[in-house]
Amino acid sequence: MTAYLFRRLAQSAVLLVLITAIAFGLMRLAPGGPEAVYTLSPTIRAEDIARIRASFGLDQPIPVQYVKWVGGVLRGDWGRSYRDSRPVLEVIGGRIPATLELAGTALVFAVVVGVAIGVLGAIRPHSAFDYLSTIGAMVALSVPTFWFGLMVIYVFAEKLHWIPSGGRETLGAPFSLADRLNHLVAPALVLGLVLVAGWSRYTRAAMLETVNQDYVRTARAKGIAERPVIWGHAFRNAVAPLVTLAGLQIPLLFGGALVTESVFTWPGMGRLFVDSLGYRDYPVMMGVLVATAILVLLGNLLADLLIVFVDPRIRLR
Amino acid sequence: MATVVADPENPESLASLAGLDPNARSRVDSPWRIAARRFFRHRLAAAGLIISLLLILSAIFAPVLAPKDPLQISILDKFVPPMTVGYPLGADEVGRDMLSRLLYAGRISLLVGFAAMLVTVIVGTVVGLVSGYYGGTVDAVLMRFTDALLSFPTVFLLLVLASFVGASLLSITLIIGLTSWMELARILRNQTLTLREADYVQAGRALGATNPWLISRHLLPNSLGPIMVAATLNIANAVLSESYISYLGYGIQPPAASWGNMLNNAQNYFRDAPWVALFPGLLITLTVASFNFIGDGLRDALDPRAGRRG
């Protein structure tokens, strides 16, 4: 177990280096760096531009810049934002809780609803419910998240006034849980929709493989009630691949969060990334990428460890 | 007593000797025909095929079908609602006809979808087959690279590339294609690992066939099923990706219209003129769902082991 953990952490570290190297290289090779905004000024001279580049450290070879950046990250110095000179770690740290709140709620919603739909579909395959939920899942996978968000805002915020049209809390108002939840519910449901589709499809497929197994028939023959048979025997055995799915869905979750945050003006990392893009704020963008990558890799590792607890037949080697 | 004698010159006599109907050969269906029958039994896939064909035709014939010039501004008709004379689907913020814009936008969105799919399929197939066939260091390097890209939200990569490279039809197509080949590569690599040990591949190798020959004559034809499924699903994915980057402002640039960039400004106007946002999104959903259904149907039809799974 410990050996497994160490090997997985080492693999994650290698992946992290690869990801950051790719992203770092892409950003530095792109034409028109952060100094591009200054070149718009008519009075600026070439040597001023060079000085600005030098002050950002952009005049050095890219591998040297990368090594310096990695060294800084390891020491806890993620650089400063080109935009407002605040430390990157502080900028991102302020945004992570909002993203985790949104993504976590969406994931819980997706798991509960998706598993319920999938199990019901598998108990009565080819029923009207099964057919409709299969179509529904496919359509949900095909809707552009941002557009769905806009439609939700139009109907529920503009027309019905049930929810606010964006943000994480009412500005200026004192903290209140009801207010927070009211802001959270729409973006979380919108973000969760795509995931629900994945969960219901996978749960249905995994359940269909177990409900016809001999031990399920045996359980029924022993006279066990239908509910414990389904949840205790069939679902219990179908759950391991679903935990893996949760791990694999994390990139999708953060990608979707980026778009959802933009539509609902949610103050998370995704929106920070989109804002930073326009400013070519390399340090903040790299910071968001690293933070996201770490969360993704940790999530995957956690999912693999969790499998051992939900399915004792699996041994980690 | 009549004895049936096999006449080597006459195949029918051979067949009748073997108890076979000489016409039977034409009635034994080819695997492709079986697959086609299974595909059309999947009603949603058949519906998806019809809808996507209609969408493609309407994009091709946009100049004939569009009642107006999609770029013609008519500021007096700003935000004319749908069902108005001359504007069946209303007008946008500068009075351009929504119907005409939607038809022309379909050309760009579908073109990006198909072209990006080609890039995806080519890169994914080459990486998957090479990685699976050669194994060893080549495989290890390619798969670690694939893993790195897979373990990352594609939207981030798309946005970084699109905002830095500068948006054009070609760059958007390449960017989408080059960020979505990983899953196909994975599938083909795993399949090739088993296929390269198959008897007929070993036999070919024993006969002195070269590696490129074995890959192109044995491994590639056997991978056509997964490639076709991935291609269809990737059209859906590419149309969706284009809409995301265009919505965020880094995709197809105005005044040219794509379904995605028609939604770019929608966030500012949709309170007053919801139809400006409604129709492009509906068309994206319809297109993506159609191709997803086709892909699903193809998967069921081409996989002999798959029963009727969701």
Side-chain angles (χ1 to χ4, degrees), chain B residues 259-307:
Chain B
W259 290 328
N261 83 7
M262 290 178 76
L263 287 161
N264 180 224
N265 290 325
Q267 186 138 19
N268 304 324
Y269 308 123
F270 77 105
R271 291 175 175 83
D272 309 311
W275 58 88
V276 176
L278 180 68
F279 296 123
L282 277 182
L283 279 173
I284 296 170
T285 309
L286 192 65
T287 309
V288 176
S290 298
F291 283 108
N292 274 336
F293 278 126
I294 298 175
D296 225 32
L298 276 179
R299 181 167 25 215
D300 286 357
L302 293 174
D303 183 357
R305 282 155 302 172

Side-chain angles (χ1 to χ4, degrees), chain A residues 168-188:
Chain A
R168 192 182 176 202
E169 59 201 326
T170 309
L171 290 176
F175 176 86
S176 105
L177 189 63
D179 179 54
R180 282 293 191 87
L181 288 177
N182 203 21
H183 281 83
L184 176 62
V185 64

Side-chain angles (χ1 to χ4, degrees), chain A residues 4-19:
Chain A
Y4 172 82
L5 202 62
F6 272 108
R7 207 176 63 245
R8 279 297 304 267
L9 284 173
Q11 281 173 355
S12 299
V14 172
L15 274 182
L16 206 56
V17 170
L18 256 174
I19 291 169

Side-chain angles (χ1 to χ4, degrees), chain B residues 32 57 119 126-127 190 207 220 256 264 273 288 310:
Chain B
W32 290 109
L57 285 175
V119 177
V126 170
V127 172
N190 291 342
L207 288 170
L220 186 61
N264 180 224
V288 176

Side-chain angles (χ1 to χ4, degrees), chain B residues 66-226:
Chain B
K68 288 202 168 73
D69 178 351
L71 301 179
Q72 192 200 318
I73 292 170
S74 166
I75 209 73
L76 289 177
D77 297 322
K78 176 181 174 178
F79 292 144
V80 166
M83 312 294 281
T84 312
V85 179
Y87 295 96
L89 295 180
D92 68 2
E93 71 270 18
V94 287
R96 290 173 298 201
D97 178 37
M98 282 294 287
L99 175 62
S100 308
R101 274 183 85 67
L102 286 169
L103 284 165
Y104 274 91
R107 299 186 125 190
I108 292 191
S109 291
L110 288 171
L111 184 65
V112 171
F114 276 90
M117 173 273 283
L118 276 182
V119 177
T120 300
V121 165
I122 292 171
V123 177
T125 307
V126 170
V127 172
L129 291 184
V130 166
S131 193
Y133 184 79
Y134 290 102
T137 321
V138 179
D139 180 43
V141 170
L142 284 176
M143 282 302 115
R144 282 298 82 73
F145 187 66
T146 308
D147 282 347
L149 291 179
L150 261 183
S151 67
F152 208 73
T154 323
V155 188
F156 285 83
L157 218 53
L158 275 174
L159 280 176
V160 171
L161 286 168
S163 72
F164 287 179
V165 176
S168 71
L169 203 56
L170 181 69
S171 67
I172 295 297
T173 303
L174 285 176
I175 287 168
I176 295 176
L178 292 176
T179 49
S180 48
W181 51 269
M182 292 84 75
E183 271 175 52
L184 176 61
R186 260 283 158 98
I187 295 169
L188 290 185
R189 180 245 180 199
N190 291 342
Q191 187 178 325
T192 308
L193 277 182
T194 39
L195 274 183
R196 70 169 179 187
E197 307 300 333
D199 288 341
Y200 56 87
V201 178
Q202 298 294 344
R205 192 174 292 135
L207 288 170
T210 57
N211 287 335
W213 173 276
L214 289 173
I215 291 179
S216 61
R217 288 305 173 98
H218 290 314
L219 299 180
L220 186 61
N222 275 296
S223 308
L224 276 183

Side-chain angles (χ1 to χ4, degrees), chain A residues 15 18-19 22 26-27 30-31 126 131 134-135 138-139 141-147 150-151 153-154 158 165 201 204-205 209 251 254-256 258-259 262-263 270 273-274 277-278 280 282 285 288-289 292-293 296-297 300, chain B residues 43-44 144-145 147-157 159-161 163-165 233 240 243-244 247-248 250 260 263 266-267 270-272 274 277-282 284-285 288-290 292-293 296 299 308-310:
Chain A
L15 274 182
L18 256 174
I19 291 169
I22 294 171
L26 279 177
M27 287 184 199
H126 308 299
Y131 202 62
T134 306
I135 298 178
M138 199 53 120
V139 173
L141 280 175
S142 310
V143 179
T145 308
F146 63 90
W147 176 75
L150 287 178
M151 294 298 117
I153 293 175
Y154 181 74
E158 292 298 319
S165 63
R201 284 163 65 88
R204 181 178 179 274
E209 297 202 348
F254 283 116
L258 181 146
V259 182
S262 299
V263 176
F273 187 79
V274 175
L277 261 182
R280 299 279 166 115
Y282 292 165
M285 288 166 65
V288 174
L289 289 176
T292 313
V296 167
L297 293 171
N300 276 327
Chain B
R43 267 173 293 171
L44 288 166
R144 282 298 82 73
F145 187 66
D147 282 347
L149 291 179
L150 261 183
S151 67
F152 208 73
T154 323
V155 188
F156 285 83
L157 218 53
L159 280 176
V160 171
L161 286 168
S163 72
F164 287 179
V165 176
L233 296 178
L240 212 50
S243 79
Y244 281 104
Y247 166 70
L248 290 170
Y250 296 105
L263 287 161
Q267 186 138 19
F270 77 105
R271 291 175 175 83
D272 309 311
L278 180 68
F279 296 123
L282 277 182
I284 296 170
T285 309
V288 176
S290 298
N292 274 336
F293 278 126
D296 225 32
R299 181 167 25 215
R308 290 279 305 146
R309 276 193 293 152

